[in-house]
Amino acid sequence: MDFRRIVYGVGRGARRGAKWLVVAVVIVVLLLVAIDVFVDEPLRRYTEREVNNRLKGYTLHIAKLNFHVLGFGLDLVDATLVQQANPDPPVADFPKIEASVQWKELMFGRLVANFRVVEPKLHVNRAHLLKEAHDETPVSDKGWQAALEAIYPLKINEFSIVNADVTYVDDARMPPLHLSNLNIVAGNIRNIHSADRDYPSPIHIDSVVFDAGKLSVDGHADFLKEPFMGANANVRIEGVPIAYFTSVLRHYHLNVKKGTLDVAGRIEYAPTVKIVDLSEVNGRQVQIDYVHEAKNASEDTKAAAKATVRAADEASNAPDMLLKIARFDLSDGEFGFVDRSKTPSYRAFIANTNLVLDNLSNQFVEGPAKVKLTGKFMGTGDTNVEGTFRSEKSGPDFDLDVKIENTQLPSMNDMLRAYGKFDVVAGLFAFYSEIRVKDRYVRGYVKPLFSNLDVYDKEQDKEKSALHKVYEKAVGVVSKVLENRPRSEVATKVDISGPLESPSTNTIQVILRLVQNAFIKAILPGFEREVGPRSRHYPSASVREK
């Protein structure tokens, strides 16, 4: 036997087999390249069409799609989501969305997908939100889950967002609300339908808030819950500068100037339950004003205020809702009341404020809330406020005691000019009040006191008319005549008992009415009542709806 021929034949056969193997590999590679080249664009058009067929009110534009045959994955490149009613600016830009087989799950016999959204940018403005608010189609029926399934045929098991940037613009003239470095990871999304309040999918969220604060969320979710997903998570917010909320809070007559906020607690939100249970809310150096506008305030602002009242009424003792703050603590703050409906406008405020509120809840069974506030009225008057608030379906239910002493009266000159058309150069002001509100009825009194008044000053009043100077001299003279000589005080006590005329009035509204009417309007009418006929031009103190 010629072994050389046998070896040579075998070697030649092996070489031919190797050649054919190389040819086969080249052909497969060429086919894969061809598929990558020629399939991408038809698949892009198909995916874009199928996604948009499922979306309601929104349109997704996909600039490019890359299909990976070897990994059976695909990438959407430079996709843009627009709200059809407000297409400019787009709601979101997606530089890259990656969808692929989750190979580690394949080892356990589960063929599921992994979605990864890389560095998306979301741009939401007030027009977008108003459209959603007035849209008859709820968010849960917008087709978002079906749209994701149209991108990739496998059920999503893990969904992640990497380094997202979210911006909300309420008013282009004000700083936007901004989240940066936002990361979200959610797993076990393709779980079977679970029992009520059972959340099998772990979630984690972290972000930078308004370029300074921090947000972290850790908990679990049920992404298949109907009609919308449910979640139960611990939330922590640290060092958030609240001045950024000015553009949003202005719709509720609130003007935030400065301060930071820390929040910690648990939030559970699902179709059958809504819980916001905060263990602590801490604010530092918060400065905020409630602004009372003239009657011609914008319709947008009025609508927002009415919506707030309606939401507060619906939340009170709602069986499926718990809103609770175990402890609300604000230190070194400043709270003001600005009245722009008067000429001149004025601002009453409490500086150096420390506020502690315990056990605030919308549920009566949680017990009453206790509040204690100390500070300096108009920067000088020692202020102490204590109250008890109860959540009742029948309307506001609270007790409130207020004591203000040793306020330098000249600091109130804008208020005096607005209501009494005069100012002072010296004097002290004190104020006492006890109020009880229950069953739509107010019982209580306010008692303002003035001491050591000095109304007319030649230098301060030199620009005023002769008639006005005579009036201020008369006010000063009468106040001297009416002084309680031993204590050098002018005092009056005004009863503010009576029904609340509007059945929809809530606790916040009643307190604001008390501030505006029972407090401010009691000061000058009480004083002027003793001065003479001018008193009939001033309304008596009342908390009744106007």
Side-chain angles (χ1 to χ4, degrees), residues 349-428:
F349 65 93
I350 302 176
N352 306 119
T353 300
N354 294 299
L355 170 65
V356 176
L357 199 158
D358 290 316
N359 196 42
L360 178 64
S361 172
N362 71 319
Q363 296 291 339
F364 180 80
V365 295
E366 294 291 331
K370 300 287 186 178
V371 62
K372 182 175 177 60
L373 180 149
T374 61
K376 295 286 186 180
F377 178 64
M378 304 305 289
T380 61
D382 296 323
T383 302
N384 188 287
V385 179
E386 294 188 15
T388 301
F389 294 83
R390 292 162 290 272
S391 184
E392 283 280 8
K393 289 184 178 180
S394 59
D397 184 352
F398 64 89
D399 306 319
L400 200 63
D401 297 337
V402 181
K403 180 172 68 175
I404 301 173
E405 297 178 319
N406 301 317
T407 303
Q408 294 294 325
L409 201 50
S411 66
M412 299 171 60
N413 271 338
D414 285 341
M415 193 187 309
L416 298 175
R417 295 185 191 106
Y419 286 94
K421 309 304 179 186
F422 70 91
D423 49 31
V424 301
V425 294
L428 293 176

Coordinates of all heavy atoms in Angstrom, one line a residue, residues 349-428:
F349 N -45.3 90.1 56.9 CA -44.5 88.9 56.9 C -44.1 88.5 58.3 O -44.1 89.3 59.2 CB -43.3 89.1 56.0 CG -42.3 90.1 56.5 CD1 -41.2 89.8 57.3 CD2 -42.5 91.5 56.1 CE1 -40.3 90.8 57.7 CE2 -41.6 92.4 56.5 CZ -40.5 92.1 57.3
I350 N -43.7 87.3 58.5 CA -43.1 86.8 59.7 C -41.7 86.3 59.4 O -41.5 85.3 58.6 CB -43.9 85.6 60.3 CG1 -45.3 86.1 60.6 CG2 -43.3 85.2 61.6 CD1 -46.2 85.0 61.1
A351 N -40.7 86.9 59.9 CA -39.3 86.5 59.7 C -38.7 85.6 60.8 O -39.4 85.4 61.8 CB -38.4 87.8 59.6
N352 N -37.6 85.1 60.5 CA -36.9 84.2 61.5 C -37.9 83.1 62.0 O -38.0 82.8 63.2 CB -36.4 85.0 62.7 CG -35.5 86.1 62.3 OD1 -35.8 87.3 62.6 ND2 -34.4 85.8 61.7
T353 N -38.6 82.5 61.1 CA -39.7 81.6 61.4 C -39.2 80.2 61.6 O -38.4 79.7 60.8 CB -40.8 81.6 60.2 OG1 -41.3 82.9 60.1 CG2 -41.9 80.7 60.6
N354 N -39.7 79.6 62.7 CA -39.5 78.2 62.9 C -40.8 77.5 63.0 O -41.7 77.9 63.8 CB -38.7 77.9 64.2 CG -37.3 78.4 64.1 OD1 -36.5 78.0 63.2 ND2 -36.9 79.4 64.9
L355 N -41.1 76.6 62.1 CA -42.4 75.9 62.0 C -42.3 74.4 62.2 O -41.5 73.8 61.5 CB -43.1 76.2 60.7 CG -44.3 75.5 60.3 CD1 -45.5 75.8 61.3 CD2 -44.7 75.7 58.9
V356 N -43.0 73.9 63.1 CA -43.1 72.4 63.3 C -44.5 72.0 63.2 O -45.4 72.5 63.9 CB -42.5 72.0 64.7 CG1 -42.6 70.5 64.9 CG2 -41.0 72.4 64.8
L357 N -44.8 71.0 62.4 CA -46.1 70.5 62.2 C -46.0 69.0 62.3 O -45.3 68.3 61.5 CB -46.6 70.9 60.8 CG -48.1 70.8 60.6 CD1 -48.5 71.7 59.4 CD2 -48.6 69.4 60.2
D358 N -46.7 68.4 63.2 CA -46.7 66.9 63.5 C -48.0 66.3 63.1 O -49.1 66.8 63.3 CB -46.5 66.7 65.0 CG -45.1 67.0 65.4 OD1 -44.1 66.7 64.7 OD2 -44.9 67.7 66.5
N359 N -47.9 65.1 62.4 CA -49.0 64.2 62.1 C -50.0 64.9 61.2 O -51.2 64.8 61.4 CB -49.7 63.8 63.4 CG -50.6 62.6 63.2 OD1 -50.2 61.6 62.5 ND2 -51.8 62.6 63.8
L360 N -49.6 65.5 60.1 CA -50.5 66.1 59.1 C -51.0 65.0 58.2 O -50.2 64.2 57.7 CB -49.8 67.2 58.3 CG -50.6 67.8 57.2 CD1 -51.7 68.6 57.8 CD2 -49.7 68.7 56.4
S361 N -52.3 64.9 58.1 CA -52.9 63.8 57.3 C -54.3 64.2 56.8 O -54.9 65.1 57.3 CB -53.1 62.5 58.2 OG -53.8 61.5 57.5
N362 N -54.7 63.5 55.7 CA -56.0 63.7 55.1 C -57.0 62.8 55.7 O -58.2 62.8 55.3 CB -56.0 63.6 53.6 CG -55.8 62.1 53.2 OD1 -55.0 61.4 53.8 ND2 -56.5 61.7 52.2
Q363 N -56.6 61.9 56.6 CA -57.5 60.9 57.2 C -57.8 61.2 58.7 O -56.9 61.4 59.5 CB -56.9 59.5 57.1 CG -56.7 59.1 55.6 CD -58.1 58.8 54.9 OE1 -59.1 58.6 55.6 NE2 -58.1 58.8 53.6
F364 N -59.1 61.3 59.0 CA -59.5 61.6 60.4 C -58.9 60.5 61.4 O -58.6 60.8 62.5 CB -61.0 61.6 60.5 CG -61.5 61.9 61.9 CD1 -61.6 63.2 62.4 CD2 -62.0 60.9 62.7 CE1 -62.0 63.5 63.6 CE2 -62.5 61.2 64.0 CZ -62.5 62.5 64.4
V365 N -58.9 59.2 61.0 CA -58.5 58.2 61.8 C -57.0 58.3 62.2 O -56.6 57.6 63.2 CB -58.7 56.8 61.2 CG1 -60.2 56.6 61.0 CG2 -58.0 56.7 59.9
E366 N -56.2 59.1 61.5 CA -54.8 59.3 61.8 C -54.6 60.2 63.0 O -53.5 60.4 63.5 CB -54.1 59.8 60.6 CG -54.0 58.8 59.5 CD -53.1 57.6 59.8 OE1 -52.1 57.8 60.6 OE2 -53.3 56.5 59.2
G367 N -55.7 60.9 63.5 CA -55.6 61.8 64.6 C -55.3 63.2 64.1 O -55.1 63.5 63.0
P368 N -55.4 64.2 65.1 CA -55.2 65.6 64.7 C -53.8 65.9 64.5 O -52.8 65.3 64.9 CB -55.7 66.3 66.0 CG -55.5 65.3 67.1 CD -55.7 64.0 66.5
A369 N -53.6 67.0 63.7 CA -52.3 67.5 63.4 C -52.0 68.7 64.4 O -52.9 69.5 64.7 CB -52.1 68.0 62.0
K370 N -50.8 68.8 64.9 CA -50.4 69.9 65.8 C -49.4 70.8 65.0 O -48.5 70.3 64.4 CB -49.8 69.3 67.0 CG -50.7 68.4 67.8 CD -51.8 69.2 68.6 CE -52.5 68.3 69.5 NZ -53.6 69.0 70.2
V371 N -49.6 72.1 65.2 CA -48.7 73.1 64.6 C -48.2 74.1 65.6 O -49.0 74.5 66.5 CB -49.4 73.8 63.4 CG1 -50.6 74.6 63.9 CG2 -48.4 74.7 62.7
K372 N -47.0 74.4 65.5 CA -46.4 75.5 66.4 C -45.4 76.3 65.5 O -44.6 75.8 64.8 CB -45.6 74.8 67.5 CG -45.0 75.9 68.5 CD -44.4 75.2 69.7 CE -43.8 76.3 70.7 NZ -44.8 77.2 71.2
L373 N -45.6 77.6 65.6 CA -44.8 78.5 64.8 C -44.3 79.7 65.7 O -45.1 80.2 66.5 CB -45.7 79.1 63.6 CG -45.0 80.1 62.7 CD1 -45.6 80.0 61.3 CD2 -45.2 81.6 63.2
T374 N -43.1 80.0 65.6 CA -42.5 81.1 66.3 C -41.7 82.0 65.2 O -41.2 81.4 64.2 CB -41.6 80.7 67.4 OG1 -40.5 80.0 66.9 CG2 -42.3 79.9 68.4
G375 N -41.7 83.3 65.5 CA -41.0 84.2 64.6 C -41.1 85.6 65.0 O -41.5 85.9 66.1
K376 N -40.8 86.5 64.0 CA -40.8 87.9 64.2 C -41.7 88.6 63.2 O -41.4 88.6 62.0 CB -39.4 88.5 64.1 CG -38.4 88.1 65.2 CD -38.7 88.7 66.5 CE -37.6 88.4 67.5 NZ -37.9 89.0 68.8
F377 N -42.9 89.0 63.7 CA -43.8 89.7 62.8 C -43.2 91.0 62.3 O -42.8 91.8 63.1 CB -45.2 89.9 63.4 CG -46.2 90.6 62.6 CD1 -46.6 90.1 61.4 CD2 -46.6 91.9 63.0 CE1 -47.6 90.7 60.6 CE2 -47.6 92.6 62.2 CZ -48.0 92.0 61.0
M378 N -43.2 91.2 61.0 CA -42.6 92.4 60.4 C -41.1 92.6 60.8 O -40.6 93.7 60.8 CB -43.4 93.7 60.7 CG -44.9 93.6 60.3 SD -45.1 93.2 58.5 CE -44.6 94.7 57.7
G379 N -40.5 91.5 61.2 CA -39.1 91.5 61.6 C -38.9 91.9 63.0 O -37.7 91.9 63.4
T380 N -39.9 92.4 63.7 CA -39.7 92.9 65.1 C -40.6 92.3 66.2 O -40.2 92.2 67.3 CB -39.8 94.4 65.1 OG1 -41.2 94.8 64.8 CG2 -38.9 95.1 64.2
G381 N -41.8 91.9 65.8 CA -42.8 91.5 66.8 C -42.7 90.0 67.1 O -42.7 89.1 66.3
D382 N -42.6 89.7 68.4 CA -42.5 88.3 68.9 C -43.8 87.6 68.6 O -44.9 88.0 69.0 CB -42.2 88.3 70.4 CG -40.9 88.9 70.8 OD1 -39.9 88.7 70.0 OD2 -40.8 89.6 71.8
T383 N -43.7 86.5 67.8 CA -44.9 85.9 67.3 C -44.9 84.4 67.8 O -43.9 83.7 67.7 CB -44.9 85.9 65.8 OG1 -44.9 87.3 65.3 CG2 -46.2 85.2 65.2
N384 N -46.1 84.0 68.2 CA -46.3 82.6 68.6 C -47.7 82.1 68.1 O -48.7 82.8 68.4 CB -46.2 82.5 70.1 CG -46.2 81.0 70.6 OD1 -47.2 80.3 70.5 ND2 -45.1 80.5 71.0
V385 N -47.7 81.1 67.3 CA -48.9 80.5 66.8 C -49.0 79.0 67.1 O -48.0 78.3 66.9 CB -49.0 80.7 65.2 CG1 -50.3 80.1 64.7 CG2 -48.9 82.2 64.9
E386 N -50.1 78.6 67.7 CA -50.3 77.2 68.0 C -51.7 76.8 67.5 O -52.6 77.6 67.6 CB -50.1 76.9 69.5 CG -48.8 77.2 70.0 CD -48.6 76.7 71.5 OE1 -49.5 76.0 72.0 OE2 -47.6 77.1 72.1
G387 N -51.7 75.6 67.0 CA -53.0 75.1 66.4 C -53.2 73.6 66.4 O -52.2 72.9 66.5
T388 N -54.4 73.2 66.3 CA -54.8 71.8 66.1 C -55.7 71.7 64.9 O -56.7 72.4 64.8 CB -55.4 71.2 67.4 OG1 -54.6 71.4 68.5 CG2 -55.8 69.8 67.2
F389 N -55.4 70.8 64.0 CA -56.1 70.6 62.8 C -56.6 69.2 62.7 O -55.9 68.2 62.9 CB -55.3 70.9 61.5 CG -54.9 72.4 61.5 CD1 -53.8 72.8 62.1 CD2 -55.6 73.3 60.7 CE1 -53.4 74.2 62.1 CE2 -55.3 74.6 60.6 CZ -54.2 75.1 61.3
R390 N -57.9 69.0 62.3 CA -58.5 67.7 62.2 C -59.1 67.6 60.8 O -59.7 68.5 60.2 CB -59.6 67.5 63.2 CG -59.1 67.4 64.7 CD -60.3 67.6 65.7 NE -60.7 69.0 65.7 CZ -60.1 70.0 66.4 NH1 -59.1 69.7 67.2 NH2 -60.6 71.2 66.4
S391 N -58.9 66.4 60.2 CA -59.4 66.2 58.8 C -60.9 65.7 58.9 O -61.2 64.6 59.4 CB -58.6 65.1 58.1 OG -59.0 64.9 56.8
E392 N -61.8 66.5 58.5 CA -63.2 66.2 58.5 C -63.9 66.3 57.2 O -63.6 67.2 56.4 CB -63.9 67.2 59.5 CG -63.7 66.9 61.0 CD -64.5 65.7 61.5 OE1 -65.2 65.1 60.7 OE2 -64.5 65.5 62.7
K393 N -64.8 65.4 56.9 CA -65.6 65.5 55.6 C -66.5 66.7 55.6 O -66.9 67.2 54.5 CB -66.3 64.2 55.4 CG -65.5 63.0 55.1 CD -66.3 61.8 54.8 CE -65.4 60.6 54.4 NZ -66.2 59.4 54.1
S394 N -66.9 67.1 56.8 CA -67.9 68.2 56.8 C -67.3 69.5 56.6 O -68.1 70.5 56.7 CB -68.7 68.1 58.2 OG -67.7 68.3 59.2
G395 N -66.0 69.6 56.4 CA -65.4 70.9 56.2 C -64.3 71.2 57.1 O -63.8 70.3 57.9
P396 N -63.7 72.4 57.1 CA -62.6 72.7 58.0 C -62.9 72.5 59.4 O -64.0 72.8 59.9 CB -62.3 74.2 57.6 CG -62.9 74.4 56.3 CD -64.1 73.5 56.2
D397 N -61.9 72.0 60.2 CA -62.1 71.8 61.6 C -60.7 72.0 62.3 O -59.8 71.2 62.2 CB -62.5 70.3 61.8 CG -62.8 70.0 63.3 OD1 -62.5 70.9 64.1 OD2 -63.4 69.0 63.6
F398 N -60.6 73.2 62.9 CA -59.3 73.5 63.6 C -59.5 74.5 64.6 O -60.4 75.3 64.7 CB -58.3 74.0 62.5 CG -58.6 75.2 61.8 CD1 -58.2 76.5 62.4 CD2 -59.3 75.2 60.6 CE1 -58.5 77.7 61.7 CE2 -59.6 76.4 60.0 CZ -59.2 77.6 60.5
D399 N -58.5 74.5 65.5 CA -58.3 75.6 66.6 C -57.0 76.3 66.3 O -56.0 75.7 66.0 CB -58.3 75.0 68.0 CG -59.5 74.0 68.2 OD1 -60.6 74.4 67.9 OD2 -59.3 73.0 68.8
L400 N -57.0 77.6 66.5 CA -55.8 78.4 66.2 C -55.7 79.5 67.2 O -56.7 80.3 67.4 CB -55.9 79.0 64.8 CG -54.6 79.4 64.1 CD1 -53.6 78.3 64.0 CD2 -54.9 80.1 62.8
D401 N -54.6 79.6 67.9 CA -54.3 80.7 68.8 C -53.1 81.5 68.3 O -52.0 80.9 68.0 CB -54.0 80.2 70.2 CG -55.2 79.4 70.8 OD1 -56.3 79.7 70.4 OD2 -55.0 78.6 71.7
V402 N -53.2 82.8 68.3 CA -52.2 83.7 67.7 C -51.8 84.8 68.8 O -52.7 85.4 69.3 CB -52.6 84.4 66.4 CG1 -51.5 85.2 65.9 CG2 -53.0 83.3 65.4
K403 N -50.5 85.0 69.0 CA -50.1 86.1 69.8 C -48.9 86.8 69.2 O -47.9 86.2 68.9 CB -49.7 85.5 71.2 CG -49.2 86.6 72.2 CD -49.0 86.0 73.6 CE -47.8 85.1 73.6 NZ -47.5 84.6 75.0
I404 N -49.1 88.1 69.0 CA -48.0 88.9 68.5 C -47.8 90.1 69.4 O -48.8 90.8 69.8 CB -48.3 89.4 67.0 CG1 -48.6 88.3 66.1 CG2 -47.2 90.3 66.5 CD1 -49.1 88.7 64.7
E405 N -46.5 90.4 69.8 CA -46.3 91.5 70.7 C -45.0 92.2 70.3 O -44.1 91.7 69.7 CB -46.1 90.9 72.1 CG -47.3 90.2 72.7 CD -47.0 89.6 74.1 OE1 -45.9 89.0 74.3 OE2 -47.9 89.7 74.9
N406 N -45.0 93.6 70.7 CA -43.9 94.4 70.5 C -43.4 94.6 69.1 O -42.2 94.7 68.8 CB -42.7 93.9 71.4 CG -43.0 93.8 72.8 OD1 -43.7 94.7 73.4 ND2 -42.6 92.7 73.5
T407 N -44.4 94.7 68.2 CA -44.1 95.0 66.8 C -43.9 96.5 66.6 O -44.7 97.3 67.0 CB -45.2 94.6 65.8 OG1 -45.4 93.2 66.0 CG2 -44.8 94.8 64.4
Q408 N -42.8 96.9 66.0 CA -42.6 98.3 65.7 C -43.6 98.8 64.6 O -43.5 98.3 63.5 CB -41.1 98.5 65.2 CG -40.1 98.3 66.3 CD -40.1 99.3 67.4 OE1 -40.4 100.4 67.2 NE2 -39.8 98.8 68.6
L409 N -44.5 99.7 65.0 CA -45.6 100.0 64.1 C -45.1 100.7 62.8 O -45.8 100.5 61.8 CB -46.5 101.0 64.9 CG -48.0 101.1 64.3 CD1 -48.6 99.7 64.1 CD2 -48.8 101.9 65.3
P410 N -44.0 101.5 62.7 CA -43.6 102.0 61.4 C -43.4 100.9 60.4 O -43.5 101.2 59.2 CB -42.3 102.8 61.8 CG -42.5 103.2 63.2 CD -43.2 102.0 63.8
S411 N -43.0 99.7 60.8 CA -42.8 98.7 59.8 C -44.1 98.3 59.1 O -44.0 97.6 58.1 CB -42.2 97.4 60.5 OG -43.1 96.8 61.4
M412 N -45.2 98.7 59.6 CA -46.5 98.4 59.0 C -47.1 99.6 58.3 O -48.3 99.6 57.9 CB -47.5 98.0 60.1 CG -47.1 96.8 60.9 SD -48.2 96.5 62.4 CE -49.8 96.3 61.6
N413 N -46.3 100.6 57.9 CA -46.8 101.8 57.3 C -47.4 101.6 56.0 O -48.5 102.2 55.6 CB -45.6 102.8 57.1 CG -45.5 103.7 58.4 OD1 -46.5 103.9 59.1 ND2 -44.3 104.3 58.5
D414 N -46.9 100.6 55.1 CA -47.6 100.4 53.9 C -49.0 99.9 54.1 O -49.9 100.2 53.3 CB -46.8 99.3 53.0 CG -45.5 99.9 52.4 OD1 -45.5 101.2 52.3 OD2 -44.6 99.2 52.1
M415 N -49.2 99.0 55.1 CA -50.5 98.5 55.4 C -51.4 99.6 55.9 O -52.6 99.7 55.5 CB -50.4 97.4 56.5 CG -51.7 96.6 56.7 SD -51.5 95.4 58.1 CE -49.9 94.6 57.7
L416 N -50.9 100.5 56.7 CA -51.6 101.6 57.3 C -52.0 102.6 56.1 O -53.2 103.1 56.1 CB -50.8 102.4 58.3 CG -50.5 101.6 59.6 CD1 -49.6 102.4 60.5 CD2 -51.7 101.1 60.3
R417 N -51.2 102.8 55.2 CA -51.5 103.7 54.1 C -52.6 103.1 53.2 O -53.4 103.8 52.7 CB -50.2 104.0 53.2 CG -49.1 104.7 54.0 CD -48.0 105.1 53.0 NE -46.8 105.6 53.8 CZ -45.7 104.9 54.0 NH1 -45.6 103.7 53.5 NH2 -44.7 105.4 54.7
A418 N -52.5 101.7 53.0 CA -53.4 101.0 52.1 C -54.8 101.1 52.7 O -55.8 101.3 51.9 CB -53.0 99.6 51.9
Y419 N -55.0 101.0 54.0 CA -56.3 100.9 54.6 C -56.7 102.2 55.3 O -57.9 102.5 55.3 CB -56.4 99.8 55.6 CG -56.4 98.4 55.0 CD1 -55.3 97.7 54.8 CD2 -57.6 97.8 54.6 CE1 -55.3 96.4 54.2 CE2 -57.7 96.6 54.1 CZ -56.5 95.9 53.9 OH -56.6 94.6 53.3
G420 N -55.8 102.9 55.8 CA -56.2 104.1 56.6 C -55.7 105.4 56.0 O -56.0 106.5 56.6
K421 N -54.9 105.4 54.9 CA -54.4 106.6 54.3 C -53.5 107.5 55.2 O -53.5 108.7 55.1 CB -55.6 107.4 53.7 CG -56.5 106.7 52.9 CD -55.8 106.0 51.7 CE -56.8 105.1 50.9 NZ -56.2 104.3 49.8
F422 N -52.9 106.8 56.2 CA -51.9 107.6 57.0 C -50.8 106.6 57.4 O -50.9 105.4 57.2 CB -52.6 108.1 58.3 CG -53.0 107.1 59.2 CD1 -52.2 106.7 60.3 CD2 -54.3 106.4 59.1 CE1 -52.6 105.7 61.2 CE2 -54.7 105.5 60.0 CZ -53.8 105.1 61.1
D423 N -49.7 107.2 57.9 CA -48.6 106.4 58.4 C -48.2 106.9 59.8 O -48.7 107.9 60.3 CB -47.4 106.3 57.4 CG -47.1 107.7 57.0 OD1 -47.2 108.7 57.8 OD2 -46.6 107.9 55.8
V424 N -47.2 106.2 60.4 CA -46.8 106.6 61.8 C -45.3 106.7 61.8 O -44.6 106.1 60.9 CB -47.3 105.6 62.8 CG1 -48.8 105.5 62.8 CG2 -46.7 104.2 62.6
V425 N -44.8 107.4 62.8 CA -43.3 107.5 63.0 C -42.9 106.8 64.2 O -41.7 106.5 64.3 CB -42.9 109.0 63.1 CG1 -43.2 109.7 61.7 CG2 -43.6 109.7 64.2
A426 N -43.8 106.4 65.0 CA -43.4 105.6 66.2 C -44.7 104.9 66.8 O -45.8 105.2 66.5 CB -42.9 106.5 67.3
G427 N -44.4 103.9 67.6 CA -45.5 103.1 68.2 C -45.3 101.7 68.2 O -44.4 101.2 67.5
L428 N -46.0 101.0 69.0 CA -45.9 99.5 69.1 C -47.3 98.9 68.8 O -48.3 99.5 69.1 CB -45.5 99.1 70.5 CG -44.1 99.4 70.9 CD1 -43.8 99.0 72.4 CD2 -43.0 98.8 70.0

